[in-house]
């Protein structure tokens, strides 16, 4: 902060009463009715509120949310500025997770695009739309590493890989912030949920986690480190405990790790009610103790509990909380308000937004994240002159395509798959049925009349997101029945899966000729899927999450510290099951194209490098030739993995270290070079120290985590 702002904050702190200071740490919901407005006005006049959430409930991703009432926000802001004790503006926050009115794919799908620039652009457009209705602060990115597709919230984050998590964190934060949060159309970001929430045992929401320090540093923290380095000014604390220590009351996690170790300087907001939740978790007996624990842990803003407002003043009087602790917390909140320029520019001017480019970007991102998982006999792309039986429960669905955590997107503006197919080939080429399940005869009749069967399958948004975990990630039986009937028709059968999470593909993909994983891909999901089906776009998504064969394999992730003793890579099936093949159905990084890529001639510019040279910034260049040997121009994501052959601690058999997504013309060969330096070749010890150890490191480059081309690098 510059010294002018420092002085302004010091002056404010001198003038503010204890009550007014505590008010800055209190977040409430925005008023909706006149009566609520009057009550809020009273609170603002007393200085009891510092921030507001634009949500009608604690589970905003699930419940139908009211549109943002910008006029009301401006009215309330006017009260804060003109009638509040010191003219301190409110900061308005909302869960802007994957788009605003224009909805982009759910984040787990976005990760599959492996296209950071496009992700950044989508979030830039999201900020433009969200700020136009008065939202200053987004509760995003959600960057919880997650290995359990039963967990409903897996769809909100980047999946199982810390490197993908870092890329997503940076792209999203940079997109929202646009280099300077003071701009009217930039947003303050809030990486969440710090920390470990994605490790909920058994995928049960709000549940316990066990995370060793070794895993914390190597898997869970990297994305948060990246978001903080990219300039995030706030962080949200999580509901879960780690090893019996609830993080929203933990000074170890919220201060020692977040501030002292990661260098975070902004403010922390609790998740909704997470401070009061400490009592439910059994580490306090009273709400007052919750408040004491929360503020000492390092949580500045209490989201919607009123718990600081009700107890902090007394705790200060009793000497249990110091004025210094309170002042530091208020200072951090005010710093962000100054940084966002809210003192100068508190009101929303409601600019008109032209969404044409935003929708184009949504189409592009949706098609780049869709993953072609199977394409036997090149059944895809389809020619437009075929008669298509278009069947399945998601043919006419609109809302599910938008996914969970879609607060402003409108189902009625979202083309269904049927509508997009009509647009693509015309009604006359489509045969549909009244029964979406396939259990009655009109589906079967349609199959026999058609040249090819396209099934729109998947899951509802209602089984994804917060509080929406599943015990079983199998496709519902009635959908499997529909696939079977289609298969028995003797026609080629294409499954288009509109899902939030990976589903179990054993016994499903086997019956299909082609599988397009279209995810819950937002406003343009249906059109993007059609673009791929008819070859207008060549598929290029690669899944950023492992597809287990069945629920019993969970957790299954490619980068476990199991080294060579590892069924995932087919090396040791006895570590797995008697009744099931050990390898995943589709591995991390996997995805097909209509064209084909050949990898050859992998090289490095040195075979040996010293730890000192690495520390001094020397890098090893690894290169490979990639050729488009197929018949379509297309994009490929070239992935570089390492395997530290023998470490002090066990290392993963494969670890993604970098990727590049590039367009190849037919017949084109490109020499792709990656650089590996100190930051890529080491790992974290359980005490958080980063080390590069001597020994051999195998470097692999290829199209997914089963990459075969390899060189060995010796670190001395
Ligand atoms: C609870 C969720 O866990 C969190 O992600 C969200 O930001 C808040 N509710 C506010 O809606």
């Amino acid at each position: 902060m510059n010294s002018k702002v420092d002085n302004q904050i010091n002056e404010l702190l001198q003038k503010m009463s204890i009550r007014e200071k505590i008010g800055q740490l209190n977040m409430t919901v925005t008023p909706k009715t006149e009566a609520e407005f009057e009550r809020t006005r009273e609170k603002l006049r007393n200085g009891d509120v510092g921030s507001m959430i634009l949500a009608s409930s604690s589970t905003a991703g699930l419940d139908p949310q009211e549109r943002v009432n910008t006029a009301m926000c401006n009215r309330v802001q006017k009260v804060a500025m003109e009638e509040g004790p010191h003219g301190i503006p409110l900061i308005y926050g909302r869960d802007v997770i994957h788009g605003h009115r224009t909805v982009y794919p759910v984040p787990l799908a976005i990760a599959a695009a492996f296209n950071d620039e496009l992700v950044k652009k989508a979030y830039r457009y999201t900020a433009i739309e969200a700020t136009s209705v008065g939202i200053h602060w987004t509760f995003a990115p959600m960057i919880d590493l997650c290995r359990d597709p039963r967990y409903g919230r897996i769809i909100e984050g980047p999946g199982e890989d810390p490197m993908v998590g870092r890329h997503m964190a940076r792209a999203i934060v940079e997109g929202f912030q646009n280099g300077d949060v003071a701009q009217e159309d930039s947003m303050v970001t809030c990486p969440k949920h710090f920390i470990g929430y994605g490790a909920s045992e058994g995928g049960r929401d709000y549940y316990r986690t066990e995370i060793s320090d070794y895993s914390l540093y190597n898997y869970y923290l990297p994305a948060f480190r990246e978001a903080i380095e990219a300039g995030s000014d706030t962080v949200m604390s999580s509901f879960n405990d780690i090893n019996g220590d609830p993080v929203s009351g933990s000074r170890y996690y919220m201060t020692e790790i977040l501030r002292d170790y990661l260098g975070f300087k902004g403010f922390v907001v609790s998740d909704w009610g997470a401070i009061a939740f400490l009592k439910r978790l059994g580490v306090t007996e009273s709400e007052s103790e919750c408040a004491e624990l929360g503020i000492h842990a390092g949580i500045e803003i209490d989201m919607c509990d009123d718990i600081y407002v009700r107890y902090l003043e007394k705790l200060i009087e009793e000497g249990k909380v110091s004025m210094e602790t309170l002042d530091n917390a208020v200072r951090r909140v005010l710093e962000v308000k100054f940084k966002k320029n809210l003192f100068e520019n508190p009101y929303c001017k409601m600019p008109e937004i032209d969404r044409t480019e935003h929708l184009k970007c949504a189409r592009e991102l949706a098609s780049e994240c869709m993953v072609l998982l199977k394409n036997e006999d090149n059944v895809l792309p389809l020619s437009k002159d075929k008669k298509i039986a278009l069947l399945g429960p998601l043919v006419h669905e609109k809302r599910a395509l938008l996914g969970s955590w879609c607060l402003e997107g409108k189902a009625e503006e979202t083309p269904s798959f049927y509508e997009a197919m009509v647009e693509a080939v015309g009604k006359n080429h489509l045969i549909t049925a009244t029964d979406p399940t396939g259990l009655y005869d009109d589906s079967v009749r349609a199959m026999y009349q058609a040249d090819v069967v396209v099934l729109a399958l998947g899951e509802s948004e209602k089984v994804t997101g917060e509080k929406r975990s599943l015990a079983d990630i199998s496709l519902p039986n009635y959908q499997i029945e529909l696939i079977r009937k289609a298969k028995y028709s003797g026609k080629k059968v294409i499954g288009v899966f509109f899902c939030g999470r990976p589903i179990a593909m054993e016994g499903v993909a086997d019956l299909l000729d082609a599988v397009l994983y279209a995810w819950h891909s937002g406003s343009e999901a249906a059109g993007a899927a059609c673009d791929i089906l008819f070859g207008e776009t060549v598929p290029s998504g690669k899944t950023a999450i492992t597809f287990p064969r069945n629920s019993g394999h969970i957790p299954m992730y490619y980068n476990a510290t199991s080294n060579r003793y590892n069924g995932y890579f087919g090396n040791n099936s006895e570590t797995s099951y008697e009744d099931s093949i050990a390898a995943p159905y589709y591995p991390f990084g996997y995805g097909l194209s209509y064209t084909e890529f050949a990898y050859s001639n992998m090289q490095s510019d040195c075979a040996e490098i010293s730890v000192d040279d690495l520390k001094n910034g020397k890098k090893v260049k690894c290169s490979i030739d990639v050729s488009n040997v197929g018949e379509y121009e297309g994009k490929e994501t070239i992935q570089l993995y390492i395997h530290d052959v023998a470490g002090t601690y066990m290392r993963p058999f494969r670890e993604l270290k970098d990727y590049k997504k590039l367009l190849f013309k037919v017949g084109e060969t490109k020499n792709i070079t990656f650089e590996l330096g100190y930051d890529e070749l080491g790992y974290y010890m359980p005490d958080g120290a980063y080390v590069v150890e001597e020994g051999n490191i195998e470097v692999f480059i290829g199209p997914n985590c089963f990459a075969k081309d390899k060189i060995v690098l010796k670190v001395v």
Side-chain angles (χ1 to χ4, degrees):
M1 276 286 117
N2 64 41
S3 55
K4 185 171 162 234
V5 170
D6 266 346
N7 292 340
Q8 284 172 289
I9 293 178
N10 287 338
E11 269 171 37
L12 277 171
L13 285 173
Q14 269 164 20
K15 287 192 286 190
M16 291 165 82
S17 66
I18 293 184
R19 176 172 180 175
E20 289 157 8
K21 287 179 182 173
I22 294 170
Q24 286 303 307
L25 312 185
N26 187 34
M27 175 186 283
T28 65
V29 292
T30 30
K32 300 202 171 48
T33 60
E34 273 312 301
E36 282 173 13
F37 173 75
E38 285 309 325
R39 281 198 292 277
T40 303
R41 167 180 249 161
E42 203 45 40
K43 285 189 193 168
L44 288 168
R45 283 177 170 161
N46 291 327
D48 283 340
V49 183
S51 50
M52 285 194 178
I53 181 168
L54 296 157
S56 352
S57 59
S58 63
T59 45
L62 308 176
D63 314 321
Q65 296 292 308
E66 313 220 343
R67 308 262 154 234
V68 174
N69 181 343
T70 312
M72 178 62 100
C73 291
N74 279 339
R75 249 177 106 194
V76 173
Q77 185 73 299
K78 195 159 190 288
V79 175
M81 297 300 292
E82 293 176 9
E83 300 173 35
H86 306 286
I88 303 177
L90 292 161
I91 180 164
Y92 285 108
R94 186 160 167 97
D95 293 288
V96 183
I97 307 294
H98 53 107
H100 181 72
R101 175 83 171 263
T102 307
V103 183
Y104 297 93
V106 293
L108 184 62
I110 291 182
F114 282 92
N115 186 337
D116 300 4
E117 279 311 307
L118 190 56
V119 175
K120 193 167 153 184
K121 191 163 146 192
Y123 279 90
R124 176 78 207 106
Y125 290 155
T126 302
I128 291 172
E129 289 185 22
T131 52
S132 77
V133 298
I135 310 168
H136 307 126
W137 175 28
T138 169
F139 303 128
M142 193 279 213
I143 42 177
D144 294 327
L145 183 126
C146 183
R147 299 160 170 170
D148 194 330
R150 290 171 298 181
Y151 187 51
R153 301 199 77 169
I154 194 169
I155 66 126
E156 285 173 57
E160 72 195 41
D161 186 74
M163 179 58 67
V164 173
R166 285 177 56 188
H167 279 259
M168 286 279 284
R170 181 165 286 276
I172 296 175
V173 168
E174 288 183 354
F176 274 130
Q177 296 187 170
N178 200 28
D180 180 9
V181 293
Q183 294 165 15
E184 267 175 32
D185 61 5
S186 295
M187 296 183 92
V188 174
T189 53
C190 183
K192 67 186 187 185
H193 308 81
F194 196 84
I195 180 84
Y197 186 41
S200 268
E201 203 175 83
R204 301 175 183 93
D205 210 344
Y206 314 128
Y207 202 47
R208 66 190 305 278
T209 78
E210 292 279 340
I211 303 176
S212 67
D213 281 344
Y214 182 56
S215 288
L216 183 78
Y217 289 111
N218 286 293
Y219 293 101
Y220 292 91
L221 289 182
F224 284 90
R225 183 194 292 276
E226 194 74 35
I228 291 164
E229 285 174 10
S232 279
D233 294 298
T234 79
V235 161
M236 186 184 292
S237 75
S238 58
F239 288 120
N240 58 288
D241 70 284
I242 299 184
N243 315 332
D245 186 9
V247 292
S248 287
S250 168
R251 194 163 173 83
Y252 173 62
Y253 291 110
M254 300 314 307
T255 295
E256 290 176 31
I257 300 282
L258 178 63
R259 291 189 185 281
D260 305 345
Y261 180 76
L262 292 183
F264 174 65
K265 303 254 181 313
F267 71 72
V268 175
V269 59
S270 74
D271 202 337
W272 186 305
I275 302 181
F277 198 64
L278 295 170
K279 189 169 160 212
R280 264 174 66 184
L281 292 179
V283 290
T284 67
E285 293 200 2
S286 67
E287 290 195 326
S288 161
E289 285 174 81
C290 293
E292 192 181 338
L293 215 54
I295 193 88
H296 281 148
I299 308 225
E300 277 78 24
I301 292 189
D302 160 36
M303 189 190 283
C304 301
D305 273 336
D306 277 357
I307 211 159
Y308 283 170
V309 168
R310 280 182 287 138
Y311 300 102
L312 270 190
E313 191 153 2
K314 182 130 186 295
L315 288 165
I316 289 170
E317 268 165 40
E318 291 168 357
K320 289 184 176 157
V321 173
S322 70
M323 273 306 292
E324 194 192 348
T325 302
L326 178 64
D327 281 354
N328 283 343
V330 178
R331 179 182 297 282
R332 288 178 181 137
V333 173
L334 293 178
E335 276 173 0
V336 175
K337 290 185 175 182
F338 273 104
K339 203 168 167 191
K340 179 74 193 111
N341 202 26
L342 291 173
F343 284 85
E344 299 287 322
N345 195 7
Y347 303 111
C348 174
K349 304 189 185 81
M350 296 189 253
E352 278 293 315
I353 303 296
D354 175 0
R355 294 196 300 121
T356 318
E357 286 304 313
H358 306 189
L359 284 161
K360 266 196 215 156
C361 177
R363 180 87 157 225
E364 199 183 338
L365 188 52
S367 45
E368 287 224 3
C369 76
M370 292 184 183
V371 188
L372 182 66
L373 291 171
K374 182 174 181 184
N375 195 16
E376 207 113 298
D377 301 330
N378 293 332
V379 56
L380 291 178
L382 291 174
S383 84
K384 288 191 172 175
D385 54 15
K386 292 258 183 325
K387 276 250 178 241
I388 301 170
L390 182 60
L391 305 166
L394 278 97
V395 167
H396 296 287
E397 179 58 41
K398 289 172 176 267
R399 176 61 191 87
L401 306 192
L402 298 175
S404 185
W405 286 105
C406 145
L407 276 57
E408 300 283 332
K410 295 186 174 183
E412 64 275 18
E413 300 183 333
T414 308
S416 67
F417 191 42
Y418 174 74
E419 287 164 353
M421 288 288 277
V422 170
E423 170 98 27
V425 292
K427 249 188 187 153
N428 293 343
H429 288 271
L430 301 175
I431 310 168
T432 55
T434 47
D435 160 40
T437 66
L439 298 177
Y440 304 99
D441 292 346
D442 67 344
S443 290
V444 174
R445 192 173 313 119
M447 291 168 192
Y448 285 107
Q449 286 167 357
D451 301 316
V452 61
V453 181
V454 173
L455 302 178
L457 307 163
E459 60 185 353
S460 149
E461 86 289 354
K462 295 194 182 76
V463 293
T464 69
E466 188 173 357
K467 266 202 321 198
R468 295 290 185 263
S469 294
L470 293 176
D472 186 354
I473 59 162
S474 305
L475 196 65
N477 277 335
Y478 76 92
Q479 295 194 36
I480 297 178
E481 184 57 26
L482 177 64
I483 296 174
R484 273 203 202 107
K485 288 202 171 162
K487 169 90 181 156
Y488 299 152
S489 74
K491 305 289 162 65
K492 294 283 186 199
V493 189
I494 294 138
V496 180
F497 290 80
F498 295 101
C499 296
R501 57 161 66 75
I503 59 156
M505 280 292 182
E506 195 168 68
V508 173
D510 328 14
L511 298 172
L512 294 162
D513 295 285
V515 176
L516 177 66
Y517 217 74
W519 307 100
H520 288 160
S521 283
S523 304
E524 292 291 318
C530 290
D531 292 345
I532 292 180
L533 288 185
F534 298 104
E536 258 123 58
T537 308
V538 173
S540 66
K542 303 255 187 176
T543 173
I545 189 89
T546 297
F547 277 63
R549 287 178 179 269
N550 58 50
S551 302
H553 281 208
I554 300 169
M556 175 173 255
Y557 50 100
Y558 88 98
N559 52 2
T561 50
S562 55
N563 212 319
R564 268 155 284 186
Y565 204 61
N566 195 328
Y568 192 108
F569 294 91
N571 296 343
N572 245 311
S573 55
E574 67 265 33
T575 57
S576 299
Y577 309 101
E578 290 300 309
D579 60 346
S580 182
I581 293 165
Y585 204 95
Y586 294 116
F588 175 87
Y590 180 82
L592 303 170
S593 170
Y594 291 154
T595 194
E596 258 181 77
F597 296 100
Y599 287 66
S600 64
N601 190 28
M602 184 172 173
Q603 295 185 359
S604 68
D605 65 349
C606 68
E608 201 173 284
I609 190 162
S610 73
V611 176
D612 281 344
D613 279 351
L614 285 166
K615 270 192 188 153
N616 291 331
K618 197 167 170 207
K619 293 186 188 241
V620 182
K621 287 199 169 86
C622 296
S623 64
I624 194 157
D625 290 339
V626 179
S627 310
N628 181 352
V629 294
E631 285 164 16
Y632 295 80
E633 178 172 298
K635 288 186 179 176
E636 169 72 331
T637 300
I638 301 119
Q639 303 164 37
L640 182 142
Y641 295 84
I642 66 164
H643 170 215
D644 182 349
V645 176
T648 301
Y649 285 85
M650 286 166 64
R651 302 297 305 137
F653 194 57
R654 295 284 184 278
E655 269 180 278
L656 182 69
K657 286 294 164 181
D658 206 354
Y659 57 81
K660 289 187 195 281
K661 186 170 193 176
L662 299 167
L663 181 69
F664 290 78
K665 297 204 177 74
V666 177
E668 189 181 11
T669 297
K670 286 185 181 168
N671 181 258
I672 316 290
T673 304
F674 293 97
E675 291 194 334
L676 291 173
Y678 189 73
D679 291 345
E680 286 76 35
L681 295 174
Y683 66 102
Y684 294 93
M685 294 282 131
D687 64 358
Y690 182 80
V691 292
V692 173
E693 296 188 315
E694 292 176 5
N696 286 325
I697 293 188
E698 295 173 334
V699 182
F700 299 85
I701 303 181
N704 56 58
C705 73
F706 289 162
K708 294 275 177 301
D709 290 278
K710 160 177 123 175
I711 55 118
V712 180
L713 179 67
K714 191 170 180 138
V715 179
V716 291

